[in-house]
Amino acid sequence: SPAQKLIFNRVNGKRPQVLLPHTSVPEESYTAAHEENVRFVYEAWQEVEQQLDGGQRGESTCGPVQYVEKTPNPSLKNFVPIDLEEWWAQQFLAKIESCS
């Protein structure tokens, strides 16, 4: 039997529960070269982070240097970086609410 798809229903129960057959979506495939590139970038970044941590503790005098602006841009004084995990959660919940 085909896999069943999860359907979110309204809290008040007005919509009947319907299980739709799973439509097959082709899985994204990765080539060996792609996986090798990802592994290379990941390992290289881990090495940079370790060297940065060592430099902050005074273990090394050479290696990567973290850039810090000497005179920050005043228009960015109140800048708050976005929390992507929170943003995606809000998008997911909004999509659920709009479908109900």
Side-chain angles (χ1 to χ4, degrees):
S1 74
Q4 295 179 340
K5 184 176 178 181
L6 177 63
I7 306 294
F8 292 95
N9 294 311
R10 294 182 183 184
V11 177
N12 62 14
K14 288 185 179 179
R15 289 179 71 180
Q17 185 174 0
V18 178
L19 295 175
L20 300 175
H22 176 69
T23 57
S24 64
V25 177
E27 287 189 27
E28 190 172 354
S29 60
Y30 299 107
T31 64
H34 171 82
E35 290 182 10
E36 183 180 345
N37 288 339
V38 170
R39 189 176 312 108
F40 171 78
V41 170
Y42 174 79
E43 290 171 357
W45 184 248
Q46 294 301 313
E47 187 177 324
V48 168
E49 285 187 325
Q50 288 175 351
Q51 290 175 357
L52 279 173
D53 288 343
Q56 289 175 351
R57 290 188 298 244
E59 295 174 8
S60 174
T61 57
C62 60
V65 177
Q66 189 169 4
Y67 175 76
V68 178
E69 281 192 68
K70 291 182 173 86
T71 55
N73 185 336
S75 63
L76 297 176
K77 178 177 70 172
N78 296 325
F79 174 77
V80 177
I82 186 171
D83 180 347
L84 280 178
E85 288 186 18
E86 178 64 26
W87 185 83
W88 279 113
Q90 290 174 355
Q91 296 300 308
F92 177 72
L93 292 174
K95 191 172 188 176
I96 290 173
E97 290 173 357
S98 70
C99 290
S100 60

